Amino acid sequence: MTTDQPLRDDQLDRYARHIVLKEVGGAGQQALLAGTVAVIGAGGIGSPVIQYLAAAGIGRLRVIDDDVVALSNLQRQTLFTTRDVGATKVAMAANAVQRLNPDVRFEPVPERADVVNAPRLLEGVDVVIDGSDNFATRLTVADAALRARVPLVSAAVGQFEGMLGVFRGWEADKPCYRCLVGHDPDRPEVSCADQGVIGALTGVLGSLAALEAIRAIVPFGDDPAGTLLMIDALAFRFRTLELPKDPGCRCAD
């Protein structure tokens, strides 16, 4: 739908708790229904992202994941059930979204994002959320988002720690993802299978990432770009760090 279409009676009821927020209102809900979000990864972070964005009425969800559901996923990937083991994640996610909210158009993409397909995967999106489980994919998605000038919400977890950032590196005073991590992709991959992760923390990061995608479409409150949210579940601590633009980074060109 376009933002000039009036909300139906059932939508006024479904999204009533958004509409009564002065920061969102009817116009904001219409913008969400007209919005498109790409989600990289339908795993521990992607599960709550998909659920909350579908519930929020994001008009189109493009979910990119080439994996199948494994029994070991179910400790944290709440989108899936035991009966889904062995099925493709995007197919099961599509079923879940259809049950949750028929307003949402779900685009399953059973692929892994790479340098070849990333530009296509981000075509026509308002914001991309990266909850992927490897560093190479994160760099690829970040570079594609920067080139396409698509806001990037990046969320990551490991053991009892999490990180969330919003990146719009094409803006003069805002850092890109490489301002944070540098340009060297040659680093050892450490997966949650190797180091473990507390399941509920992926839900926290995914919910926060969904919130920032909504904020990117319907701006409210403070702009999070240029800051980094760090979560330490062992110490029961949230910290926000300033992330400056790296003058030597290629996004500054």
PDB file of all heavy atoms in Angstrom, residues 35-72:
ATOM      1  N   GLY A  35       6.525   0.273   3.831  1.00  0.00           N
ATOM      2  CA  GLY A  35       7.964   0.086   3.937  1.00  0.00           C
ATOM      3  C   GLY A  35       8.429  -1.300   3.533  1.00  0.00           C
ATOM      4  O   GLY A  35       7.663  -2.271   3.522  1.00  0.00           O
ATOM      5  N   THR A  36       9.717  -1.380   3.203  1.00  0.00           N
ATOM      6  CA  THR A  36      10.359  -2.650   2.849  1.00  0.00           C
ATOM      7  C   THR A  36      11.632  -2.801   3.671  1.00  0.00           C
ATOM      8  O   THR A  36      12.460  -1.892   3.708  1.00  0.00           O
ATOM      9  CB  THR A  36      10.725  -2.689   1.361  1.00  0.00           C
ATOM     10  OG1 THR A  36       9.536  -2.560   0.574  1.00  0.00           O
ATOM     11  CG2 THR A  36      11.420  -3.999   1.010  1.00  0.00           C
ATOM     12  N   VAL A  37      11.776  -3.930   4.336  1.00  0.00           N
ATOM     13  CA  VAL A  37      12.960  -4.225   5.143  1.00  0.00           C
ATOM     14  C   VAL A  37      13.567  -5.532   4.665  1.00  0.00           C
ATOM     15  O   VAL A  37      12.854  -6.531   4.486  1.00  0.00           O
ATOM     16  CB  VAL A  37      12.623  -4.326   6.646  1.00  0.00           C
ATOM     17  CG1 VAL A  37      13.872  -4.684   7.449  1.00  0.00           C
ATOM     18  CG2 VAL A  37      12.031  -3.021   7.162  1.00  0.00           C
ATOM     19  N   ALA A  38      14.880  -5.526   4.438  1.00  0.00           N
ATOM     20  CA  ALA A  38      15.611  -6.752   4.150  1.00  0.00           C
ATOM     21  C   ALA A  38      16.234  -7.267   5.438  1.00  0.00           C
ATOM     22  O   ALA A  38      16.820  -6.492   6.200  1.00  0.00           O
ATOM     23  CB  ALA A  38      16.690  -6.497   3.106  1.00  0.00           C
ATOM     24  N   VAL A  39      16.105  -8.556   5.691  1.00  0.00           N
ATOM     25  CA  VAL A  39      16.648  -9.193   6.886  1.00  0.00           C
ATOM     26  C   VAL A  39      17.655 -10.243   6.439  1.00  0.00           C
ATOM     27  O   VAL A  39      17.298 -11.199   5.739  1.00  0.00           O
ATOM     28  CB  VAL A  39      15.534  -9.842   7.737  1.00  0.00           C
ATOM     29  CG1 VAL A  39      16.129 -10.459   9.001  1.00  0.00           C
ATOM     30  CG2 VAL A  39      14.455  -8.825   8.088  1.00  0.00           C
ATOM     31  N   ILE A  40      18.905 -10.055   6.839  1.00  0.00           N
ATOM     32  CA  ILE A  40      19.958 -11.013   6.499  1.00  0.00           C
ATOM     33  C   ILE A  40      20.089 -11.998   7.654  1.00  0.00           C
ATOM     34  O   ILE A  40      20.587 -11.674   8.725  1.00  0.00           O
ATOM     35  CB  ILE A  40      21.307 -10.301   6.257  1.00  0.00           C
ATOM     36  CG1 ILE A  40      21.149  -9.115   5.307  1.00  0.00           C
ATOM     37  CG2 ILE A  40      22.331 -11.303   5.743  1.00  0.00           C
ATOM     38  CD1 ILE A  40      20.729  -9.474   3.914  1.00  0.00           C
ATOM     39  N   GLY A  41      19.612 -13.204   7.433  1.00  0.00           N
ATOM     40  CA  GLY A  41      19.688 -14.241   8.456  1.00  0.00           C
ATOM     41  C   GLY A  41      18.382 -14.405   9.208  1.00  0.00           C
ATOM     42  O   GLY A  41      17.862 -13.433   9.770  1.00  0.00           O
ATOM     43  N   ALA A  42      17.855 -15.623   9.218  1.00  0.00           N
ATOM     44  CA  ALA A  42      16.617 -15.924   9.939  1.00  0.00           C
ATOM     45  C   ALA A  42      16.923 -16.783  11.159  1.00  0.00           C
ATOM     46  O   ALA A  42      16.194 -17.730  11.462  1.00  0.00           O
ATOM     47  CB  ALA A  42      15.631 -16.630   9.016  1.00  0.00           C
ATOM     48  N   GLY A  43      18.009 -16.445  11.864  1.00  0.00           N
ATOM     49  CA  GLY A  43      18.441 -17.238  13.006  1.00  0.00           C
ATOM     50  C   GLY A  43      18.032 -16.646  14.332  1.00  0.00           C
ATOM     51  O   GLY A  43      16.909 -16.169  14.514  1.00  0.00           O
ATOM     52  N   GLY A  44      18.966 -16.652  15.295  1.00  0.00           N
ATOM     53  CA  GLY A  44      18.650 -16.192  16.640  1.00  0.00           C
ATOM     54  C   GLY A  44      18.266 -14.731  16.687  1.00  0.00           C
ATOM     55  O   GLY A  44      17.339 -14.339  17.409  1.00  0.00           O
ATOM     56  N   ILE A  45      18.962 -13.884  15.944  1.00  0.00           N
ATOM     57  CA  ILE A  45      18.623 -12.468  15.860  1.00  0.00           C
ATOM     58  C   ILE A  45      17.475 -12.263  14.881  1.00  0.00           C
ATOM     59  O   ILE A  45      16.535 -11.502  15.147  1.00  0.00           O
ATOM     60  CB  ILE A  45      19.854 -11.644  15.444  1.00  0.00           C
ATOM     61  CG1 ILE A  45      20.897 -11.661  16.567  1.00  0.00           C
ATOM     62  CG2 ILE A  45      19.468 -10.209  15.086  1.00  0.00           C
ATOM     63  CD1 ILE A  45      22.236 -11.064  16.175  1.00  0.00           C
ATOM     64  N   GLY A  46      17.526 -12.944  13.746  1.00  0.00           N
ATOM     65  CA  GLY A  46      16.502 -12.764  12.731  1.00  0.00           C
ATOM     66  C   GLY A  46      15.114 -13.187  13.173  1.00  0.00           C
ATOM     67  O   GLY A  46      14.119 -12.601  12.727  1.00  0.00           O
ATOM     68  N   SER A  47      15.014 -14.186  14.053  1.00  0.00           N
ATOM     69  CA  SER A  47      13.692 -14.663  14.485  1.00  0.00           C
ATOM     70  C   SER A  47      12.855 -13.550  15.125  1.00  0.00           C
ATOM     71  O   SER A  47      11.746 -13.270  14.653  1.00  0.00           O
ATOM     72  CB  SER A  47      13.847 -15.846  15.449  1.00  0.00           C
ATOM     73  OG  SER A  47      14.215 -17.020  14.771  1.00  0.00           O
ATOM     74  N   PRO A  48      13.327 -12.884  16.176  1.00  0.00           N
ATOM     75  CA  PRO A  48      12.523 -11.811  16.739  1.00  0.00           C
ATOM     76  C   PRO A  48      12.397 -10.611  15.808  1.00  0.00           C
ATOM     77  O   PRO A  48      11.380  -9.906  15.844  1.00  0.00           O
ATOM     78  CB  PRO A  48      13.244 -11.443  18.034  1.00  0.00           C
ATOM     79  CG  PRO A  48      14.633 -11.949  17.865  1.00  0.00           C
ATOM     80  CD  PRO A  48      14.519 -13.159  17.008  1.00  0.00           C
ATOM     81  N   VAL A  49      13.418 -10.370  14.983  1.00  0.00           N
ATOM     82  CA  VAL A  49      13.308  -9.296  13.990  1.00  0.00           C
ATOM     83  C   VAL A  49      12.092  -9.547  13.105  1.00  0.00           C
ATOM     84  O   VAL A  49      11.242  -8.661  12.913  1.00  0.00           O
ATOM     85  CB  VAL A  49      14.585  -9.217  13.126  1.00  0.00           C
ATOM     86  CG1 VAL A  49      14.324  -8.399  11.859  1.00  0.00           C
ATOM     87  CG2 VAL A  49      15.724  -8.601  13.906  1.00  0.00           C
ATOM     88  N   ILE A  50      12.000 -10.735  12.545  1.00  0.00           N
ATOM     89  CA  ILE A  50      10.904 -11.072  11.642  1.00  0.00           C
ATOM     90  C   ILE A  50       9.568 -10.999  12.369  1.00  0.00           C
ATOM     91  O   ILE A  50       8.581 -10.438  11.859  1.00  0.00           O
ATOM     92  CB  ILE A  50      11.133 -12.463  11.033  1.00  0.00           C
ATOM     93  CG1 ILE A  50      12.356 -12.436  10.104  1.00  0.00           C
ATOM     94  CG2 ILE A  50       9.900 -12.955  10.275  1.00  0.00           C
ATOM     95  CD1 ILE A  50      12.890 -13.809   9.737  1.00  0.00           C
ATOM     96  N   GLN A  51       9.511 -11.536  13.568  1.00  0.00           N
ATOM     97  CA  GLN A  51       8.256 -11.551  14.313  1.00  0.00           C
ATOM     98  C   GLN A  51       7.778 -10.139  14.645  1.00  0.00           C
ATOM     99  O   GLN A  51       6.599  -9.801  14.439  1.00  0.00           O
ATOM    100  CB  GLN A  51       8.434 -12.372  15.593  1.00  0.00           C
ATOM    101  CG  GLN A  51       8.569 -13.866  15.324  1.00  0.00           C
ATOM    102  CD  GLN A  51       9.018 -14.641  16.560  1.00  0.00           C
ATOM    103  OE1 GLN A  51      10.029 -14.310  17.180  1.00  0.00           O
ATOM    104  NE2 GLN A  51       8.283 -15.667  16.911  1.00  0.00           N
ATOM    105  N   TYR A  52       8.675  -9.293  15.140  1.00  0.00           N
ATOM    106  CA  TYR A  52       8.252  -7.952  15.544  1.00  0.00           C
ATOM    107  C   TYR A  52       7.997  -7.040  14.357  1.00  0.00           C
ATOM    108  O   TYR A  52       7.103  -6.183  14.405  1.00  0.00           O
ATOM    109  CB  TYR A  52       9.267  -7.343  16.508  1.00  0.00           C
ATOM    110  CG  TYR A  52       8.988  -7.731  17.928  1.00  0.00           C
ATOM    111  CD1 TYR A  52       9.797  -8.643  18.598  1.00  0.00           C
ATOM    112  CD2 TYR A  52       7.893  -7.217  18.604  1.00  0.00           C
ATOM    113  CE1 TYR A  52       9.534  -9.023  19.900  1.00  0.00           C
ATOM    114  CE2 TYR A  52       7.601  -7.592  19.907  1.00  0.00           C
ATOM    115  CZ  TYR A  52       8.422  -8.498  20.549  1.00  0.00           C
ATOM    116  OH  TYR A  52       8.136  -8.889  21.840  1.00  0.00           O
ATOM    117  N   LEU A  53       8.741  -7.201  13.274  1.00  0.00           N
ATOM    118  CA  LEU A  53       8.461  -6.376  12.097  1.00  0.00           C
ATOM    119  C   LEU A  53       7.152  -6.799  11.437  1.00  0.00           C
ATOM    120  O   LEU A  53       6.394  -5.949  10.953  1.00  0.00           O
ATOM    121  CB  LEU A  53       9.613  -6.445  11.102  1.00  0.00           C
ATOM    122  CG  LEU A  53      10.922  -5.799  11.547  1.00  0.00           C
ATOM    123  CD1 LEU A  53      11.948  -5.847  10.416  1.00  0.00           C
ATOM    124  CD2 LEU A  53      10.725  -4.361  12.007  1.00  0.00           C
ATOM    125  N   ALA A  54       6.884  -8.088  11.414  1.00  0.00           N
ATOM    126  CA  ALA A  54       5.601  -8.547  10.881  1.00  0.00           C
ATOM    127  C   ALA A  54       4.456  -8.040  11.751  1.00  0.00           C
ATOM    128  O   ALA A  54       3.438  -7.558  11.242  1.00  0.00           O
ATOM    129  CB  ALA A  54       5.578 -10.069  10.787  1.00  0.00           C
ATOM    130  N   ALA A  55       4.610  -8.137  13.050  1.00  0.00           N
ATOM    131  CA  ALA A  55       3.569  -7.651  13.951  1.00  0.00           C
ATOM    132  C   ALA A  55       3.359  -6.149  13.810  1.00  0.00           C
ATOM    133  O   ALA A  55       2.236  -5.642  13.922  1.00  0.00           O
ATOM    134  CB  ALA A  55       3.924  -8.000  15.397  1.00  0.00           C
ATOM    135  N   ALA A  56       4.449  -5.417  13.521  1.00  0.00           N
ATOM    136  CA  ALA A  56       4.376  -3.970  13.377  1.00  0.00           C
ATOM    137  C   ALA A  56       3.723  -3.539  12.071  1.00  0.00           C
ATOM    138  O   ALA A  56       3.377  -2.370  11.905  1.00  0.00           O
ATOM    139  CB  ALA A  56       5.777  -3.356  13.466  1.00  0.00           C
ATOM    140  N   GLY A  57       3.557  -4.468  11.139  1.00  0.00           N
ATOM    141  CA  GLY A  57       2.923  -4.135   9.879  1.00  0.00           C
ATOM    142  C   GLY A  57       3.862  -3.613   8.816  1.00  0.00           C
ATOM    143  O   GLY A  57       3.440  -2.849   7.939  1.00  0.00           O
ATOM    144  N   ILE A  58       5.141  -4.009   8.869  1.00  0.00           N
ATOM    145  CA  ILE A  58       6.030  -3.664   7.764  1.00  0.00           C
ATOM    146  C   ILE A  58       5.477  -4.308   6.495  1.00  0.00           C
ATOM    147  O   ILE A  58       5.258  -5.518   6.447  1.00  0.00           O
ATOM    148  CB  ILE A  58       7.462  -4.165   8.025  1.00  0.00           C
ATOM    149  CG1 ILE A  58       8.056  -3.482   9.268  1.00  0.00           C
ATOM    150  CG2 ILE A  58       8.349  -3.933   6.802  1.00  0.00           C
ATOM    151  CD1 ILE A  58       8.232  -1.981   9.132  1.00  0.00           C
ATOM    152  N   GLY A  59       5.260  -3.511   5.465  1.00  0.00           N
ATOM    153  CA  GLY A  59       4.538  -3.991   4.302  1.00  0.00           C
ATOM    154  C   GLY A  59       5.209  -5.121   3.551  1.00  0.00           C
ATOM    155  O   GLY A  59       4.549  -6.018   3.031  1.00  0.00           O
ATOM    156  N   ARG A  60       6.551  -5.079   3.508  1.00  0.00           N
ATOM    157  CA  ARG A  60       7.265  -6.112   2.759  1.00  0.00           C
ATOM    158  C   ARG A  60       8.516  -6.511   3.517  1.00  0.00           C
ATOM    159  O   ARG A  60       9.328  -5.664   3.882  1.00  0.00           O
ATOM    160  CB  ARG A  60       7.627  -5.603   1.368  1.00  0.00           C
ATOM    161  CG  ARG A  60       8.235  -6.656   0.465  1.00  0.00           C
ATOM    162  CD  ARG A  60       8.249  -6.242  -1.001  1.00  0.00           C
ATOM    163  NE  ARG A  60       8.900  -4.965  -1.210  1.00  0.00           N
ATOM    164  CZ  ARG A  60       9.574  -4.639  -2.312  1.00  0.00           C
ATOM    165  NH1 ARG A  60       9.690  -5.516  -3.295  1.00  0.00           N
ATOM    166  NH2 ARG A  60      10.123  -3.457  -2.449  1.00  0.00           N
ATOM    167  N   LEU A  61       8.661  -7.798   3.771  1.00  0.00           N
ATOM    168  CA  LEU A  61       9.832  -8.362   4.433  1.00  0.00           C
ATOM    169  C   LEU A  61      10.551  -9.270   3.447  1.00  0.00           C
ATOM    170  O   LEU A  61       9.981 -10.248   2.964  1.00  0.00           O
ATOM    171  CB  LEU A  61       9.442  -9.163   5.677  1.00  0.00           C
ATOM    172  CG  LEU A  61       9.037  -8.401   6.928  1.00  0.00           C
ATOM    173  CD1 LEU A  61       8.649  -9.385   8.027  1.00  0.00           C
ATOM    174  CD2 LEU A  61      10.152  -7.493   7.409  1.00  0.00           C
ATOM    175  N   ARG A  62      11.801  -8.924   3.165  1.00  0.00           N
ATOM    176  CA  ARG A  62      12.636  -9.763   2.303  1.00  0.00           C
ATOM    177  C   ARG A  62      13.655 -10.453   3.198  1.00  0.00           C
ATOM    178  O   ARG A  62      14.548  -9.807   3.752  1.00  0.00           O
ATOM    179  CB  ARG A  62      13.324  -8.907   1.245  1.00  0.00           C
ATOM    180  CG  ARG A  62      14.181  -9.698   0.267  1.00  0.00           C
ATOM    181  CD  ARG A  62      14.806  -8.761  -0.761  1.00  0.00           C
ATOM    182  NE  ARG A  62      13.779  -8.056  -1.516  1.00  0.00           N
ATOM    183  CZ  ARG A  62      13.973  -6.915  -2.172  1.00  0.00           C
ATOM    184  NH1 ARG A  62      15.172  -6.341  -2.160  1.00  0.00           N
ATOM    185  NH2 ARG A  62      12.997  -6.347  -2.837  1.00  0.00           N
ATOM    186  N   VAL A  63      13.519 -11.763   3.365  1.00  0.00           N
ATOM    187  CA  VAL A  63      14.358 -12.507   4.307  1.00  0.00           C
ATOM    188  C   VAL A  63      15.316 -13.393   3.530  1.00  0.00           C
ATOM    189  O   VAL A  63      14.891 -14.231   2.724  1.00  0.00           O
ATOM    190  CB  VAL A  63      13.508 -13.333   5.283  1.00  0.00           C
ATOM    191  CG1 VAL A  63      14.398 -14.131   6.219  1.00  0.00           C
ATOM    192  CG2 VAL A  63      12.581 -12.416   6.079  1.00  0.00           C
ATOM    193  N   ILE A  64      16.610 -13.197   3.776  1.00  0.00           N
ATOM    194  CA  ILE A  64      17.669 -13.883   3.028  1.00  0.00           C
ATOM    195  C   ILE A  64      18.365 -14.885   3.946  1.00  0.00           C
ATOM    196  O   ILE A  64      18.997 -14.508   4.935  1.00  0.00           O
ATOM    197  CB  ILE A  64      18.691 -12.872   2.467  1.00  0.00           C
ATOM    198  CG1 ILE A  64      18.017 -11.909   1.482  1.00  0.00           C
ATOM    199  CG2 ILE A  64      19.855 -13.575   1.804  1.00  0.00           C
ATOM    200  CD1 ILE A  64      17.699 -10.554   2.057  1.00  0.00           C
ATOM    201  N   ASP A  65      18.230 -16.163   3.640  1.00  0.00           N
ATOM    202  CA  ASP A  65      18.878 -17.219   4.430  1.00  0.00           C
ATOM    203  C   ASP A  65      18.841 -18.506   3.623  1.00  0.00           C
ATOM    204  O   ASP A  65      17.783 -18.877   3.110  1.00  0.00           O
ATOM    205  CB  ASP A  65      18.158 -17.412   5.770  1.00  0.00           C
ATOM    206  CG  ASP A  65      18.991 -18.192   6.778  1.00  0.00           C
ATOM    207  OD1 ASP A  65      19.473 -19.288   6.432  1.00  0.00           O
ATOM    208  OD2 ASP A  65      19.164 -17.709   7.914  1.00  0.00           O
ATOM    209  N   ASP A  66      19.979 -19.185   3.509  1.00  0.00           N
ATOM    210  CA  ASP A  66      20.038 -20.414   2.708  1.00  0.00           C
ATOM    211  C   ASP A  66      20.076 -21.673   3.569  1.00  0.00           C
ATOM    212  O   ASP A  66      20.318 -22.771   3.065  1.00  0.00           O
ATOM    213  CB  ASP A  66      21.263 -20.392   1.793  1.00  0.00           C
ATOM    214  CG  ASP A  66      22.589 -20.449   2.555  1.00  0.00           C
ATOM    215  OD1 ASP A  66      22.588 -20.175   3.775  1.00  0.00           O
ATOM    216  OD2 ASP A  66      23.628 -20.758   1.923  1.00  0.00           O
ATOM    217  N   ASP A  67      19.806 -21.523   4.862  1.00  0.00           N
ATOM    218  CA  ASP A  67      19.979 -22.629   5.803  1.00  0.00           C
ATOM    219  C   ASP A  67      18.666 -23.370   6.041  1.00  0.00           C
ATOM    220  O   ASP A  67      17.577 -22.892   5.699  1.00  0.00           O
ATOM    221  CB  ASP A  67      20.519 -22.078   7.128  1.00  0.00           C
ATOM    222  CG  ASP A  67      21.252 -23.131   7.943  1.00  0.00           C
ATOM    223  OD1 ASP A  67      21.358 -24.283   7.474  1.00  0.00           O
ATOM    224  OD2 ASP A  67      21.711 -22.802   9.058  1.00  0.00           O
ATOM    225  N   VAL A  68      18.784 -24.540   6.671  1.00  0.00           N
ATOM    226  CA  VAL A  68      17.619 -25.310   7.102  1.00  0.00           C
ATOM    227  C   VAL A  68      17.588 -25.329   8.632  1.00  0.00           C
ATOM    228  O   VAL A  68      18.604 -25.105   9.300  1.00  0.00           O
ATOM    229  CB  VAL A  68      17.646 -26.753   6.563  1.00  0.00           C
ATOM    230  CG1 VAL A  68      17.614 -26.759   5.044  1.00  0.00           C
ATOM    231  CG2 VAL A  68      18.860 -27.512   7.087  1.00  0.00           C
ATOM    232  N   VAL A  69      16.414 -25.585   9.171  1.00  0.00           N
ATOM    233  CA  VAL A  69      16.241 -25.614  10.625  1.00  0.00           C
ATOM    234  C   VAL A  69      16.896 -26.869  11.200  1.00  0.00           C
ATOM    235  O   VAL A  69      16.654 -27.988  10.732  1.00  0.00           O
ATOM    236  CB  VAL A  69      14.746 -25.587  10.995  1.00  0.00           C
ATOM    237  CG1 VAL A  69      14.579 -25.618  12.506  1.00  0.00           C
ATOM    238  CG2 VAL A  69      14.056 -24.362  10.399  1.00  0.00           C
ATOM    239  N   ALA A  70      17.738 -26.673  12.219  1.00  0.00           N
ATOM    240  CA  ALA A  70      18.377 -27.782  12.929  1.00  0.00           C
ATOM    241  C   ALA A  70      17.869 -27.810  14.371  1.00  0.00           C
ATOM    242  O   ALA A  70      17.440 -26.777  14.916  1.00  0.00           O
ATOM    243  CB  ALA A  70      19.896 -27.615  12.917  1.00  0.00           C
ATOM    244  N   LEU A  71      17.937 -28.964  14.982  1.00  0.00           N
ATOM    245  CA  LEU A  71      17.454 -29.085  16.354  1.00  0.00           C
ATOM    246  C   LEU A  71      18.205 -28.147  17.293  1.00  0.00           C
ATOM    247  O   LEU A  71      17.620 -27.568  18.217  1.00  0.00           O
ATOM    248  CB  LEU A  71      17.604 -30.539  16.822  1.00  0.00           C
ATOM    249  CG  LEU A  71      16.933 -30.905  18.150  1.00  0.00           C
ATOM    250  CD1 LEU A  71      15.430 -30.689  18.074  1.00  0.00           C
ATOM    251  CD2 LEU A  71      17.245 -32.360  18.509  1.00  0.00           C
ATOM    252  N   SER A  72      19.499 -27.945  17.047  1.00  0.00           N
ATOM    253  CA  SER A  72      20.299 -27.071  17.909  1.00  0.00           C
ATOM    254  C   SER A  72      19.920 -25.603  17.768  1.00  0.00           C
ATOM    255  O   SER A  72      20.293 -24.784  18.614  1.00  0.00           O
ATOM    256  CB  SER A  72      21.792 -27.246  17.587  1.00  0.00           C
ATOM    257  OG  SER A  72      22.060 -26.897  16.231  1.00  0.00           O
TER     258      SER A  72
END
